[in-house]
Structures are given as structure tokens and as C-alpha cells.
Amino acid sequence: MTKPRTMLEIAGLEKSFGEVQVLKSIDLKVQEGELVFVIGPSGSGKSTMLRCCNRLEEPTSGSIFIDGQRITDIPHRDLDRMRLKVGMVFQGFNLYPQMSVLKNVMLAQVKALKRSKAEAEARALEMLDQVGLKHKAGAMPAELSGGQQQRVAIARALALDPQVMLFDEPTSALDPELVGSVLKVMKGLREKGMTMLVVSHEMQFAREAADRVVFMDQGYVAEQGTPEEIFGAPKSERLKTFLSRVSHGDVEAEAD
Amino acid sequence: MDTFIQTFFNIDIMMQAFPLLMKGAVMTLKLCAVVILCGLTGGLMLALAALSPRRFLRWSAIGFIDLFRALPPLVLLVFVYSGLPFAGIRLAPFWAVVIAFFLNNSAYFAEVFRAGINAVPKGQTEAARATGLSGPQTLIHVVLPQAIRNVLPDLLSNTVEVVKLTSLASVVSLSELLYNANMARSVTYNSSPLVLAAGMYLVLLWPLVRVVSRYQRGLSSSH
Ligand SMILES: Nc1ncnc2c1ncn2[C@@H]1O[C@H](COP(=O)(O)OP(=O)(O)O)[C@@H](O)[C@H]1O
Ligand SMILES: [Mg+2]
């Protein structure tokens, strides 16, 4: 057996906005094919951490490695190429409203990956099929439900063959009955061996699908472990309080 | 009543003046085309500069926009045509008009574009950049199409303003529609050519005005 490959490594990551330090030394490793879940109260820095991983946000200090390559010191002109390796899914889907579903999934393939139109279209249809929306290829984003839009957004990211997928609260903006379809797609991805870092409050999903759960609090990784450890035997008081609040449904109200 | 019709709606005089007025209308359209094309291009550049993270570029663009929005276009035109010759810059009336109105219009278009770009949610840019699109690619394929759709009625109504604005060119003796109509009036001692010119402006602008107001009604009813 080969040694598991570290696909994403965050080492000593710090981030300040002006005077305010939002991330205070984060260390985190995600192995190839792992699904790591990130939970934590609103404002604890989860989104900021994810956004540092493709440098939508510039880290103040520390290093991030994608498949062994340090991405925190590559020059700006190489950022676009690096981002092709890191897929990102946002809470608000962010599909391009003026383009059809198919065009949404093709755009970066053609413009950033320089694939031919035919190749990009074939790949887009394949990815749409994977998220169960091939029949919506010709639709406009506004005609889709939130769950469908989010699945298109996942297909858009997957079409670029990323090595790591980042999810920032992918189901928080969805009506409860639509959450399942998105989680199902994510589960399918995990079975295909995709490496995933997921910020979410879907605890049931974490129990079923996560290899590890990371609890972030006030800019630190306060606790991490298997789902059984984190949910079954939380150590810190803050995690216990957090979990009891989540189980009472408070996190949604608190999330922006 | 009869003298009223004779003075304002004299068909014979209108027919006589018609070829001259048509020539003026063609000049007006030519002027509009050049001013609008330059204004749109310049306005877009200015808007992008005004949104740039580079402070010097941003403040220069904002200064330019504010200055030329504040200056009355007629003042600009007289300055360019009659003021600049004192500095040895002598321009043909057509180019004086183009330059003066370009300065004025690019500033207006810039404000429109800036509002349109600002109204595109930040998540759009982030999604595009996260998929590896470059800044310019993001602008061209993601942000601008949405920005322009956001402000299409304003772009159109600004275009209407440009057509009206060109009638000011008569003060520098450019033979556009109003100038020619006024000339016909002074030759015929009759106001009918002016009425005809007004009619021609109406024919030119009414469809545009209609489109703008339908668009604006459509937008407000869809909210
Ligand atoms: N662009 C920014 N400028 C200033 N402060 C920010 C910015 N983005 C996030 N923050 C602050 O950083 C903290 C962490 O935010 P975030 O990473 O979004 O937390 P989470 O995703 O865990 O809710 C919050 O206090 C937030 O106000
Ligand atoms: Mg967040």
C-alpha cells in the first residue's frame, strides 16, 4: 500500500483584517480521498480559512499546500492556474444568471482550461449527469430550485478536474426539503474518492460521511477527531455548548 | 388662424426646406454616432478606472467624472471651439463638438456603468475567479454582461440625451438639424422649418423614449 497522500495542508495559517485577527494559527491536513468536516460558531473564521485555500483571501502568514505545492507564495500571475486545482462551492451558489446551465459549466473550461467548445460541452454534460441535472442543461439558473442551482455549481467546479473541493455551507441557503439532493451529490463525490473540506452544520451528514470533524472556535482549531469522538465524546466546554445549541437549531439563526 | 398656419405649418416652405433639413439630420446622426461610440468606450474605461484598486488611477477617474459632469456642456463646447484657439489649438466645428460632448458624455456613461458594475453581487466575481478565470475574463464574461443589463434603460436614456445635446452644435455653426432649420427660417422669414425640425427630432427620439419607458415600467413591475 502506498502512504496516503496529503492533498491539502494548512500550516500555521494566520489572517488579520486590519487590526482584527480572525485566524490564529490554524493547522489542518486533509488526505487524498478524505472528507473533513468543519463546524464552529458563526464568526469563528471557517469561511476565511476556506477562502485562504484558493487565495480569494490573502493569508497574513503561514503556509498552505495543495498536493504538496505551496500555494501561499506563488505570484499573482499564477493564481488562476492554481485555482483550477481547487474547486469551491459557495453558500449562495453564485451561478451566472445570464447564461444557461450548460454555459455556466462550460465557461471556465473554455476560458481558463482552454478546452475546445466540443470537449467542454461533453464534459459539462457528463458532470451535469453526475449531479442529476443533465436534462436541465438548457435551462437558465433562475428557472431552477436552490438545490438544483447548488448542484450545477458543484458540476461547474468539478468540470475543471480539481484535486480538492471546498464547500462553504453549501446547504445553508436551501429550503430543508432541498438539502438532501445536494448532500447526496456530495456523498457520491466522496465515494468517487474526491478530497473534500466541508464547512457545514448538517451534523447528521457529518456522522454518516465525514472521516474527521474539526471544531473551529475564535480563530483556532479547538478540537478535532472522528465524528464519534467529536459528537459522542466532546472534550471542551465550548464544543459541548456549541453542539447543544446546534441540536436546538440555534446555529441557523446565528449564521449570517 | 390662417396666419398661424401660414407661419408655422406652411407646407410649401416645409417641402422647400426638407432637403436641407435632411442633410442636417444626417449630420446630427453622424454626430450622435461618433459621440455615443466614444462616450460609451470612454465611459466604460473611466468606470473601470474609478473602480480600480490603484488609488491614483481611481482618484484621477473620479476627478475627471465629477469635473465633466459639473461643467455645462455648452460652456465646454464654447471653450473647446472658441477658447482653445488662444492656445493655438484650432478645431473644425465637427471635432470641437465631438470633443466637448465626448468629455461630457463619457463622464455620464461612466457613472451609469459604475452603478451597473457595483450592482453585480461580489459572489459573481468570486465564483468566476475561483474557477480560474482571470480578472479581465471575469469582467468580460461575467460582470459586464450583468452590469449592462442592470443599466440598459439608463444607457438608452443617456443616448436620448446625446441626440438632444447635439442641437447645441448650432452655436458653432455646425450644419446639423437645428442649425439648418434655423437657416431655412431666416431665409424664408417663416417658422415652419423649425416646426419641421422639431417633428424630425420627435421621429428620431420617440421610439427610443418609448423603449426606455417600457423598459422602466417593466423593471418596476417585476419587483
Ligand atoms: N473581508 C473582511 N473584512 C473584515 N472582516 C472580515 C472580512 N471577512 C470576514 N471578516 C470577519 O472575520 C470573522 C470571521 O468571519 P468568517 O470567516 O466569515 O466566519 P464564519 O465563516 O466562521 O462565520 C468575522 O468576525 C468577520 O466579521
Ligand atoms: Mg461563513
Side-chain angles (χ1 to χ4, degrees):
Chain A
M1 283 300 285
T2 49
K3 197 164 153 262
R5 186 154 135 206
T6 305
M7 273 310 219
L8 171 66
E9 178 174 355
I10 302 174
L13 174 65
E14 297 180 20
K15 172 67 184 174
S16 303
F17 291 107
E19 298 286 286
V20 188
Q21 192 171 14
V22 171
L23 298 179
K24 304 157 187 163
S25 194
I26 302 278
D27 294 286
L28 187 65
K29 276 188 189 177
V30 185
Q31 309 294 344
E32 185 173 20
E34 243 190 336
L35 193 163
V36 173
F37 227 77
V38 181
I39 59 174
S42 165
S44 57
K46 305 180 298 296
S47 296
T48 306
M49 180 184 74
L50 280 196
R51 293 159 58 83
C52 285
C53 293
N54 63 359
R55 285 183 58 189
L56 277 185
E57 220 62 87
E58 285 295 336
T60 309
S61 69
S63 306
I64 296 174
F65 302 85
I66 303 286
D67 195 18
Q69 188 203 4
R70 187 202 298 265
I71 61 134
T72 29
D73 56 4
I74 58 177
H76 275 264
R77 64 169 186 282
D78 294 335
L79 281 185
D80 298 329
R81 211 172 331 142
M82 175 275 286
R83 285 175 177 149
L84 289 170
K85 297 193 211 162
V86 186
M88 189 165 205
V89 175
F90 301 86
Q91 180 174 350
F93 330 134
N94 300 343
L95 293 186
Y96 314 130
Q98 80 277 20
M99 288 177 211
S100 71
V101 162
L102 183 67
K103 288 269 162 57
N104 263 275
V105 185
M106 285 174 63
L107 182 67
Q109 291 190 67
V110 174
K111 300 297 171 189
L113 264 187
K114 310 286 179 205
R115 282 187 183 146
S116 72
K117 283 241 164 79
E119 198 185 347
E121 183 174 331
R123 182 82 178 134
L125 289 172
E126 187 189 335
M127 290 300 108
L128 286 171
D129 197 28
Q130 188 175 330
V131 301
L133 289 171
K134 196 175 176 184
H135 61 291
K136 293 286 187 188
M140 297 305 277
E143 299 162 22
L144 305 184
S145 74
Q148 292 172 327
Q149 288 190 46
Q150 191 61 296
R151 281 144 66 198
V152 173
I154 293 173
R156 178 173 67 181
L158 287 178
L160 302 168
D161 303 318
Q163 293 179 292
V164 181
M165 285 285 288
L166 309 171
F167 292 82
D168 192 0
E169 308 209 24
T171 58
S172 301
L174 298 179
D175 294 335
E177 72 273 17
L178 301 176
V179 169
S181 66
V182 173
L183 295 183
K184 200 175 129 209
V185 166
M186 292 170 67
K187 227 179 262 178
L189 264 184
R190 180 192 145 65
E191 275 151 26
K192 287 204 152 111
M194 178 57 77
T195 308
M196 299 157 86
L197 185 59
V198 180
V199 174
S200 169
H201 291 134
E202 299 294 336
M203 300 303 177
Q204 188 52 41
F205 179 68
R207 277 177 215 275
E208 290 166 23
D211 295 291
R212 269 183 306 129
V213 179
V214 171
F215 173 56
M216 272 182 75
D217 190 36
Q218 299 180 340
Y220 290 102
V221 171
E223 206 169 324
Q224 57 174 308
T226 62
E228 296 76 39
E229 288 166 352
I230 293 293
F231 300 122
K235 294 195 200 83
S236 64
E237 271 319 304
R238 298 198 60 102
L239 177 54
K240 285 178 196 159
T241 338
F242 175 74
L243 289 174
S244 76
R245 280 220 318 268
V246 173
S247 60
H248 290 92
D250 282 358
V251 163
E252 306 306 323
E254 189 193 23
D256 40 41
Chain B
M1 192 59 204
D2 219 33
T3 47
F4 177 82
I5 290 177
Q6 281 303 310
T7 315
F8 293 106
F9 297 96
N10 188 317
I11 299 294
D12 287 342
I13 287 181
M14 282 187 181
M15 300 261 276
Q16 263 178 20
F18 186 73
L20 186 65
L21 264 61
M22 269 316 275
K23 260 170 87 178
V26 168
M27 174 57 89
T28 291
L29 285 176
K30 225 155 78 181
L31 206 51
C32 288
V34 176
V35 170
I36 289 166
L37 278 179
C38 295
L40 280 171
T41 317
L44 183 57
M45 299 296 149
L46 278 172
L48 294 177
L51 293 165
S52 159
R54 284 187 208 132
R55 196 171 306 176
F56 177 75
L57 193 59
R58 185 171 70 240
W59 287 113
S60 312
I62 291 173
F64 181 100
I65 293 170
D66 285 356
L67 176 65
F68 289 108
R69 262 163 54 104
L71 283 177
L74 186 54
V75 173
L76 260 173
L77 176 56
V78 172
F79 179 81
V80 169
Y81 185 69
S82 315
L84 287 185
F86 289 97
I89 305 169
R90 201 170 296 277
L91 294 162
F94 183 82
W95 291 109
V97 173
V98 166
I99 288 171
F101 293 173
F102 162 72
L103 292 173
N104 170 268
N105 246 275
S106 57
Y108 271 94
F109 277 124
E111 278 301 280
V112 173
F113 280 124
R114 187 152 69 129
I117 292 171
N118 274 333
V120 177
K122 255 190 105 212
Q124 291 288 311
T125 305
E126 292 187 343
R129 297 309 301 271
T131 54
L133 294 181
S134 67
Q137 286 173 334
T138 300
L139 192 68
I140 292 168
H141 300 290
V142 175
V143 176
L144 282 183
Q146 295 181 54
I148 290 170
R149 207 179 45 176
N150 286 341
V151 293
L152 206 52
D154 296 320
L155 289 177
L156 282 174
S157 63
N158 206 31
T159 301
V160 172
E161 293 309 313
V162 173
V163 182
K164 295 187 200 163
L165 200 62
T166 55
S167 61
L168 291 182
S170 57
V171 303
V172 297
S173 311
L174 184 67
S175 52
E176 44 68 63
L177 180 50
L178 176 62
Y179 182 84
N180 283 7
N182 202 29
M183 194 146 85
R185 176 201 54 85
S186 68
V187 172
T188 58
Y189 289 103
N190 187 289
S191 292
S192 303
L194 288 176
V195 173
L196 182 57
M200 288 167 86
Y201 275 113
L202 204 63
V203 169
L204 223 55
L205 290 179
W206 185 68
L208 267 176
V209 171
R210 220 34 274 136
V211 168
V212 171
S213 81
R214 270 190 56 180
Y215 211 115
Q216 280 163 342
R217 239 199 353 253
L219 282 185
S220 58
S221 69
S222 74
H223 278 297

